[in-house]
């Protein structure tokens, strides 16, 4: 029997000053890093919350059913323009009916408890607004993730599809392995 997904709850984080990024010399010593990951520098955050797990297909379906793709007030203006231009009504790989998705195995039934995938920044942001939340900043995500063990659904797990968050997992679930996560931050140093 399938286990229901963990309820969507939020972990609280206290703001303050933190150090992020890599020292310039570690780039030479440890090998590759992106150029915007150096130099190490101080950042200031305010208190924030981060969801304990990724948004599920069922939760995203509720956004669609509530008219999320028809409400311009939920969307960033350039996102609304793109959604209208492209005719977006659902995530890219979902069927028109919303009960199937295209995957590495071809078309398969949509798992309502698995994390939603293949949404644009604009769709993720509109969903967050609809859910009375917001996307985290890159720094907020990095600080939260840095305190967690790197565990997740990686290639060596053999599961080539995203998995529902497991009950009993300590801390934040699904930070690593299942899906890339959008933040509200620009790709900058």
């Amino acid at each position: 029997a399938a286990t229901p997904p963990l309820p969507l709850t939020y972990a609280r984080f206290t703001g303050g000053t933190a150090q992020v990024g890599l020292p310039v010399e570690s780039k030479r010593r440890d090998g590759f890093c992106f150029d915007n990951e150096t130099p190490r520098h101080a950042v200031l955050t305010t208190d924030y919350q981060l969801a304990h797990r990724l948004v599920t297909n069922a939760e995203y379906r509720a956004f669609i059913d509530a008219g999320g793709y028809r409400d311009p007030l939920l969307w960033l203006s350039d996102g609304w323009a793109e959604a209208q231009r492209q005719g977006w009504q659902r995530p890219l790989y979902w069927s028109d009916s919303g009960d199937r998705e295209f995957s590495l195995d071809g078309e398969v039934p949509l798992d309502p408890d698995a994390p939603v995938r293949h949404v644009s920044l604009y769709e993720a942001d509109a969903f967050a607004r609809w859910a009375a939340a917001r996307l985290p900043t890159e720094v907020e995500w990095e600080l939260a993730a840095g305190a967690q063990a790197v565990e997740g659904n990686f290639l060596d797990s053999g599961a080539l599809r995203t998995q529902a968050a497991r009950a009993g997992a300590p801390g934040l679930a699904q930070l690593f392995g299942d899906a890339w996560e959008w933040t509200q931050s620009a790709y900058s140093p």
Side-chain angles (χ1 to χ4, degrees), residues 9-175:
T9 59
Y10 293 85
R12 295 180 184 274
F13 295 89
T14 303
T17 303
Q19 294 290 318
V20 298
L22 297 169
V24 174
E25 61 274 7
S26 70
K27 182 174 181 178
R28 292 185 297 273
R29 185 179 68 240
D30 298 330
F32 176 81
C33 74
F34 290 104
D35 59 355
N36 69 334
E37 295 177 311
T38 63
R40 191 152 183 81
H41 59 281
V43 294
L44 178 64
T45 62
T46 58
D47 294 352
Y48 65 98
Q49 297 180 60
L50 196 65
H52 278 93
R53 61 160 173 79
L54 299 175
V55 172
T56 66
N57 287 322
E59 290 161 342
Y60 200 84
R61 181 57 188 229
F63 163 72
I64 295 170
D65 292 346
Y69 280 88
R70 297 185 307 272
D71 186 349
L73 298 177
L74 296 173
W75 293 73
L76 297 168
S77 60
D78 51 345
W80 179 252
E82 187 65 15
Q84 296 307 295
R85 189 176 76 72
Q86 297 279 343
W88 294 346
Q89 298 298 313
R90 64 188 183 291
L92 179 62
Y93 292 115
W94 283 21
S95 64
D96 288 342
S97 62
D99 61 350
R100 300 184 67 75
E101 69 176 324
F102 189 76
S103 74
L104 293 173
D105 296 323
E107 195 173 277
V108 297
L110 185 72
D111 180 352
D113 299 331
V116 67
R117 299 172 300 144
H118 306 295
V119 295
S120 70
L121 166 66
Y122 300 125
E123 290 165 300
D125 186 77
F127 175 88
R129 290 170 195 266
W130 173 79
R134 66 172 175 81
L135 296 178
T137 66
E138 178 72 20
V139 167
E140 290 169 344
W141 188 94
E142 182 178 323
L143 293 173
Q148 302 292 310
V150 179
E151 298 175 350
N153 181 25
F154 297 106
L155 181 60
D156 58 354
S157 73
L160 297 179
R161 294 184 68 194
T162 55
Q163 306 293 306
R166 296 185 317 265
L172 300 173
Q174 298 178 308
L175 286 174

